[in-house]
Amino acid sequence: MDSALRDPHNGSAGARSPANGTTRPPSTPEGIALAYGSLLLMALLPIFFGALRSVRCARGKNASDMPETITSRDAARFPIIASCTLLGLYLFFKIFSQEYINLLLSMYFFVLGILALSHTISPFMSKFFPANFPNRQYQLLFTQGSGESKEEIINYEFDTKDLVCLGLSTIVGVWYLLRKHWIANNLFGLAFSVNGVELLHLNNVSTGCILLGGLFIYDVFWVFGTNVMVTVAKSFEAPIKLVFPQDLLEKGLEADNFAMLGLGDIVIPGIFIALLLRFDISLKKNTHTYFYTSFAAYIFGLGLTIFIMHIFKHAQPALLYLVPACVGFPVLVALAKGEVTEMFSYESSAEILPHTPRLTHFPTVSGSPASLADSMQQKLAGPRRRRPQNPSAIYEDSNAKDPAAAAGSREGREASAPQGLEKKED
């Protein structure tokens, strides 16, 4: 996971021009300001829109868009897994040919990028389709096994509009695969960031603090302690980072002197900011105080990262500045408002939404699976009156209590029997 902000060419020792082996000319102040400002804007867009979409995702009914909840155990293990992955990529680039590794990774991210971009633009594109557009529903279902042991592997629902978005995303994917253009790279990177913030949900604030604290140490160690992260970021030709050329004003769209920002610096703080937005909504005060506070804290932290990097001309671990800002500012606001207890007791995964009934306890039932399902249904719906299965049993029971009614009903049945026989004969 690349999560450091860096300017690999301007002011870096050993940065060479690929054309003639000479040192690149320094970028103009206007070009540097444009590059840094564009990176800041591109980082803010997926956090803002991804957080809004995460609220709709939590309330959605489509099983294909259900969020993945990160628990405290997942948060504690994530920095270790990320470190192993980063070190593994570093060793792969050292041992094997960089060209073949990037070819495999390009094909992999080509498929992922198309799906991510299609999912990102689908809500926006739906507004441009006419009302009489023939929109048909489809379902992609892969199962394993048969009978009672059948298990769903993939269950994805989509429609004709999604197929149109998939076609447009494929065009961008082919463009990226053939040219590796920085605009196509950024389109995929933004799509990955939006989907990450939307679909990855922290279950509570404590889990977010564990995750951000662990990645804080991870980022500082791999950027300042070794050259592993910088080496992987420069060698890894995949849309795992946002880039913007510092020489755009001089060379136009063919510029090649890039400043870059890892997607980890967007997604990791972004899912914490999205959690605070859902916490704001749960308070039902019609204010988004914690969301706007953390969003402003992110702007401050990333701006400080850019400033430090520009002053010292060295790659900076952005989470070194983002984590204290994104966690500290909302906690200070909670302290001032006396809502620290509510903040840390909030459970995002425990939100009871209108369309998602939840069990408060599990009944103990022995017998067949059918009896278990029937018992659970009774617990959810409350006590119900059972409908009698045999109408004659009611007659016999009531007639036993009332002999006069029994005699009348018996005569009625005897009188109606010949009529039924006559009808059969006709």
Side-chain angles (χ1 to χ4, degrees):
M1 181 186 69
D2 175 32
S3 63
L5 180 66
R6 60 188 61 86
D7 175 6
H9 302 301
N10 185 42
S12 299
R16 300 289 178 179
S17 170
N20 52 18
T22 60
T23 304
R24 292 179 183 271
S27 301
T28 61
E30 294 81 4
I32 295 175
L34 178 62
Y36 290 161
S38 300
L39 286 178
L40 179 61
L41 178 62
M42 286 191 293
L44 296 177
L45 291 177
I47 292 178
F48 184 83
F49 290 105
L52 296 178
R53 290 172 60 140
S54 75
V55 177
R56 292 194 293 267
C57 178
R59 297 174 176 174
K61 298 181 180 180
N62 191 352
S64 60
D65 293 336
M66 292 302 292
E68 184 73 22
T69 302
I70 301 175
T71 63
S72 57
R73 178 177 296 182
D74 299 329
R77 292 186 297 186
F78 190 81
I80 301 175
I81 297 173
S83 297
C84 294
T85 303
L86 182 66
L87 184 60
L89 287 173
Y90 176 79
L91 294 177
F92 264 98
F93 282 118
K94 290 294 183 181
I95 297 173
F96 301 102
S97 173
Q98 179 177 327
E99 179 181 357
Y100 295 112
I101 296 176
N102 281 321
L103 179 61
L104 293 175
L105 293 175
S106 296
M107 296 301 299
Y108 176 71
F109 281 99
F110 167 75
V111 177
L112 289 184
I114 289 176
L115 295 177
L117 185 60
S118 175
H119 181 265
T120 302
I121 67 175
S122 180
F124 300 102
M125 293 298 297
S126 298
K127 301 177 181 179
F128 296 97
F129 289 98
N132 58 351
F133 182 80
N135 192 32
R136 296 183 178 180
Q137 300 293 325
Y138 302 93
Q139 183 178 16
L140 182 63
L141 179 63
F142 285 100
T143 60
Q144 181 179 4
S146 60
E148 294 182 356
S149 61
K150 182 181 292 185
E151 180 182 359
E152 288 186 1
I153 300 177
I154 297 177
N155 186 0
Y156 188 77
E157 300 176 359
F158 57 97
D159 52 27
T160 308
K161 296 178 181 179
D162 294 327
L163 292 178
V164 174
C165 296
L166 189 66
L168 296 176
S169 302
T170 303
I171 296 175
V172 178
V174 173
W175 180 28
Y176 170 78
L177 198 63
L178 297 179
R179 296 290 305 275
K180 293 293 192 304
H181 199 275
W182 61 273
I183 295 181
N185 174 91
N186 287 347
L187 289 175
F188 277 171
L190 290 171
F192 286 139
S193 300
V194 171
N195 281 272
V197 177
E198 175 187 0
L199 300 176
L200 291 176
H201 287 194
L202 295 166
N203 62 350
N204 53 51
V205 174
S206 298
T207 300
C209 293
I210 294 172
L211 178 65
L212 291 175
L215 291 177
F216 173 88
I217 300 173
Y218 158 89
D219 210 16
V220 172
F221 173 77
W222 288 111
V223 174
F224 284 154
T226 68
N227 67 336
V228 172
M229 185 176 289
V230 177
T231 302
V232 171
K234 291 181 180 180
S235 306
F236 203 76
E237 294 182 2
I240 62 167
K241 53 186 179 289
L242 299 179
V243 299
F244 199 89
Q246 300 180 6
D247 52 349
L248 179 68
L249 300 178
E250 292 81 16
K251 297 184 178 180
L253 295 179
E254 299 302 322
D256 57 358
N257 185 13
F258 296 103
M260 64 182 72
L261 175 67
L263 298 188
D265 299 329
I266 301 173
V267 176
I268 299 303
I271 60 178
F272 186 76
I273 295 173
L275 171 67
L276 294 179
L277 175 60
R278 298 193 297 274
F279 170 62
D280 276 324
I281 295 175
S282 71
L283 294 177
K284 299 179 180 180
K285 294 182 178 180
N286 295 326
T287 59
H288 297 156
T289 304
Y290 294 100
F291 171 69
Y292 290 129
T293 300
S294 57
F295 195 74
Y298 181 86
I299 297 175
F300 170 78
L302 190 58
L304 181 60
T305 306
I306 294 174
F307 175 77
I308 298 292
M309 186 191 68
H310 181 69
I311 294 298
F312 291 97
K313 306 297 182 182
H314 188 276
Q316 295 295 314
L319 294 182
L320 173 64
Y321 311 97
L322 290 173
V323 169
C326 292
V327 175
F329 284 24
V331 170
L332 290 176
V333 172
L335 284 171
K337 299 181 66 175
E339 295 176 343
V340 175
T341 303
E342 290 84 351
M343 173 184 283
F344 281 89
S345 62
Y346 167 71
E347 289 283 342
S348 177
S349 58
E351 292 175 344
I352 301 178
L353 302 176
H355 64 275
T356 55
R358 297 177 182 269
L359 284 173
T360 57
H361 66 282
F362 291 91
T364 302
V365 178
S366 60
S368 64
S371 63
L372 176 61
D374 183 62
S375 175
M376 293 175 66
Q377 184 66 24
Q378 293 177 30
K379 293 291 184 181
L380 285 174
R384 293 182 180 179
R385 296 181 58 186
R386 288 201 170 190
R387 184 175 296 174
Q389 301 296 328
N390 188 4
S392 63
I394 297 179
Y395 284 110
E396 293 176 0
D397 184 59
S398 61
N399 293 339
K401 297 179 181 178
D402 190 355
S409 62
R410 189 179 299 111
E411 292 175 359
R413 288 196 300 270
E414 290 174 355
S416 62
Q419 296 176 4
L421 293 173
E422 290 176 3
K423 290 180 180 180
K424 285 186 178 179
E425 290 174 0
D426 292 339

